[in-house]
Amino acid sequence: MVTAQSVVLALLAVFLAISTVAPTPTNTTGFVNCLVFHLPPGIIYTQGSSSYPSVLEYSIKNLRFVTPGTPTPLVIIKATNTSHVQASVRCGARHGVRVRPRSGGHDYEGLSYRSLDAARRFAIVDLAALRAIRVDVRSETALVGSGATLGELYYGIANKSARLGFPAGIGPTVGVGGHLSGGGFGLMLRKHGLAADHVVDAVMVDAEGRILDRAAMGEDAFWAIRGGGGGSFGVVVSWKLQLVRVPATVTVFTVHRPRNRSASDLLTKWQQIAHGALPRDMILRVVVQNQDAQFESLYLGRCRGLLATMAKTFPELGVTRQDCIEMSWIESVLYFAFYGTGKPLELLLDRGSKPDRYFKAKSDFMHDPIPKNVWESTWEWFLKDGAGLLILDPYGGRMGAVAPSATPFPHRRALYNLQYYGSWFDNGTEASEKHMGWIRGLHREMEPYVSRNPRGAYVNYKDLDLGVNDSGGDSGGGTSYEKARGWGESYFKENFERLAMVKAMVDPSDFFRNEQSIPPLP
Ligand SMILES: Cc1cc2nc3c(=O)[nH]c(=O)nc-3n(C[C@H](O)[C@H](O)[C@H](O)COP(=O)(O)OP(=O)(O)OC[C@H]3O[C@@H](n4cnc5c(N)ncnc54)[C@H](O)[C@@H]3O)c2cc1C
Ligand SMILES: *[C@@H]1O[C@H](CO)[C@@H](O)[C@H](O)[C@H]1NC(C)=O
Ligand SMILES: *[C@@H]1O[C@H](CO)[C@@H](O)[C@H](O)[C@H]1NC(C)=O
Ligand SMILES: *[C@@H]1O[C@H](CO)[C@@H](O)[C@H](O)[C@H]1NC(C)=O
Ligand SMILES: *[C@@H]1O[C@H](CO)[C@@H](O)[C@H](O)[C@H]1NC(C)=O
Ligand SMILES: *[C@@H]1O[C@H](CO)[C@@H](O)[C@H](O)[C@H]1NC(C)=O
Ligand SMILES: CC(=O)N[C@H]1CO[C@H](CO)[C@@H](O)[C@@H]1O
């Protein structure tokens, strides 16, 4: 029997078949004409524009993607109003040009401004100018444009109240847009969880160019954009954030414990206490580099409380009164951004200009402590030519109290996040192979000790070694679900399928696409 419903389903199937089998062929001229017609002058940069190179590069953070061979965008649109984002998406959909949003340009694989091969043609909608920050002290909320940096956000909050803060990442130049899209964590994660946990509303331009707030996009899409990774669901132009209270005085310390002063013992003990025994008001992270473990801490209270806590949980570390530095929360933000103490807060507003280094990173989630003998043998890695560093960010506290399905970020129960990071300044291929080889080699060696089935990774530390779809060209069919499970389940575990379902609802034609984006569930 032919019901109205089956007719609708049949039509839907035909529509889906058309939209996937016959994508709009790329017409660059048509696209540019469309932009020129719908946008004000002065915000469209084509490859022929004299300022195209500087507009492209000013928010690139990784020199690996500034080579002559890197495929670059056909056009860059520097949006200064949400309506420009809408027009760009609509012109792109009409003329077969995909649009990649760029907020702060910190993507580890550069996917906001480059594609892997020249067949994947695209345009950038750059959101850096959409960076207004409005803090409402009474409701303890902030409205922030995606183009703002974390430094601008922290500064904007502190400018209105010394008792409010926000639990996002450490790097002050990181863009709010990409960061919240992938979860985002920093030094208040044990007290307050992920940055994305504090998003209460958002405004997104979808694949049809519509402006949707939380109510209009629905709870599934709102779930997906808070951690499902940028560049898959739409262009989020602004976020409403619930701020958190911070004490008037916080305490920080940094102590170095070299290999020959029992660093292996301390790392082993650290794995036992950093996650569970320490109070939520305290984070103790470690950076391992050379023959040294650097223990850094933020405590949301005064030195006295910190010392009492350390005496109880980790006396072996030997932290003393002299190690403590008391300061305001916003000063601690500066401190951990490597500017030291006594610097002007305005440094947080510096967005940087040109990329100054090459870098590569990988990540793991640890659910069991690494045995002491493994730490001992790992020191040899740090003597190798091309050695990088390890960053150990402990979880626990609020992080572990949130259900792994509450947001797309599934790694809530980990003991800690392990980041392998290397940066270098030498532009030769030999140097880059040496540094990348070190990171990949240590990552391989750690395999027996890290999360498995699947081996986890953090989407904000994007890593194309996990796999990419090979036929993502603008006329190709897009990423297959099966292939995408490879990296998708590393980043999102059992949340990957729901992300692909949401993708099928909000962007069935896979307009927002990059080499590791979420494909629509078939
Ligand atoms: C120096 C440095 C320090 C870092 N520190 C931390 C840290 O402490 N904690 C942490 O969790 N992470 C950290 N990161 C990782 C960082 O959170 C991610 O790289 C993040 O995705 C960067 O956001 P962005 O806007 O700067 O990047 P972009 O390169 O602009 O974007 C990243 C991805 O999101 C997409 N995207 C960008 N804007 C939007 C938008 N408005 N709507 C939808 N999609 C969008 C892009 O297309 C791209 O796929 C750091 C990175 C660097 C380079
Ligand atoms: C591309 O678009 C332009 C302007 O809309 C149009 O004149 C031209 O015919 C199009 N080219 C193709 C190949 O469709
Ligand atoms: C965008 O433009 C509209 C209408 O011109 C205006 O009302 C709105 O405030 C602008 N928004 C931003 C973020 O500039
Ligand atoms: C807030 O910012 C304004 C403008 O930059 C500045 O003049 C003022 O001193 C700041 N106030 C505080 C409390 O930081
Ligand atoms: C530890 O090693 C460094 C050199 O790496 C050396 O200068 C220092 O004296 C050693 N300390 C101890 C206690 O052995
Ligand atoms: C590396 O940089 C040097 C100095 O800037 C330059 O002369 C050289 O051509 C560069 N080499 C490569 C491979 O880019
Ligand atoms: C290598 C690979 O799996 N490529 C896939 C990318 O996506 C297209 C479309 O779904 C598939 O046909 C390819 O097999």
Side-chain angles (χ1 to χ4, degrees), residues 7-278:
V7 170
V8 169
L9 284 176
L11 285 174
L12 190 66
V14 169
F15 169 77
L16 286 175
I18 290 169
S19 67
T20 52
V21 168
T24 315
T26 304
N27 181 343
T28 310
T29 313
F31 178 59
V32 173
N33 288 349
C34 181
L35 294 175
V36 168
F37 185 78
H38 290 283
L39 296 176
I43 66 167
I44 306 164
Y45 301 86
T46 58
Q47 292 185 335
S49 322
S50 58
S51 33
Y52 174 94
S54 60
V55 172
L56 176 64
E57 278 178 36
Y58 85 97
S59 102
I60 289 182
K61 293 294 156 193
N62 196 337
L63 281 174
R64 277 171 62 213
F65 313 121
V66 200
T67 62
T70 304
T72 51
L74 297 169
V75 182
I76 305 167
I77 301 118
K78 283 212 72 171
T80 57
N81 189 294
T82 303
S83 63
H84 305 158
V85 180
Q86 292 180 279
S88 306
V89 168
R90 286 185 174 143
C91 289
R94 192 173 313 152
H95 297 283
V97 177
R98 294 174 192 289
V99 163
R100 297 190 185 204
R102 179 168 76 171
S103 293
H106 284 56
D107 191 85
Y108 274 24
E109 297 284 7
L111 298 188
S112 55
Y113 53 82
R114 66 131 187 175
S115 62
L116 210 55
D117 58 66
R120 308 177 203 233
R121 284 172 289 182
F122 68 100
I124 294 178
V125 174
D126 189 294
L127 303 167
L130 291 176
R131 59 198 235 228
I133 297 168
R134 282 215 321 267
V135 175
D136 181 33
V137 172
R138 204 182 40 80
S139 64
E140 304 184 357
T141 58
L143 271 176
V144 52
S146 277
T149 62
L150 295 181
E152 290 170 339
L153 173 62
Y154 298 145
Y155 182 92
I157 296 168
N159 190 269
K160 290 283 155 48
S161 165
R163 302 305 299 274
L164 292 174
F166 191 69
I170 298 175
T173 55
V174 169
V176 161
H179 188 69
L180 290 173
S181 295
F185 60 79
L187 294 166
M188 293 203 288
L189 74 90
R190 290 175 42 76
K191 174 91 169 182
H192 297 295
L194 293 177
D197 296 345
H198 299 265
V199 174
V200 292
D201 207 336
V203 176
M204 174 174 90
V205 173
D206 76 357
E208 288 174 39
R210 295 175 301 192
I211 296 179
L212 307 175
D213 66 3
R214 176 178 183 168
M217 75 178 80
E219 287 304 299
D220 283 313
F222 185 64
W223 173 84
I225 61 172
R226 289 171 300 144
S232 285
F233 302 101
V235 183
V236 180
V237 290
S238 65
W239 311 77
K240 185 175 181 186
L241 307 176
Q242 185 66 55
L243 305 178
V244 301
R245 294 186 184 179
V246 295
T249 305
V250 305
T251 305
V252 306
F253 72 75
T254 302
V255 297
H256 292 267
R257 296 295 180 256
R259 176 184 185 177
N260 62 5
R261 281 187 56 204
S262 33
S264 301
D265 289 321
L266 294 173
L267 282 165
T268 307
K269 174 80 191 262
W270 174 85
Q271 294 178 115
Q272 292 158 18
I273 58 100
H275 173 271
L278 289 183

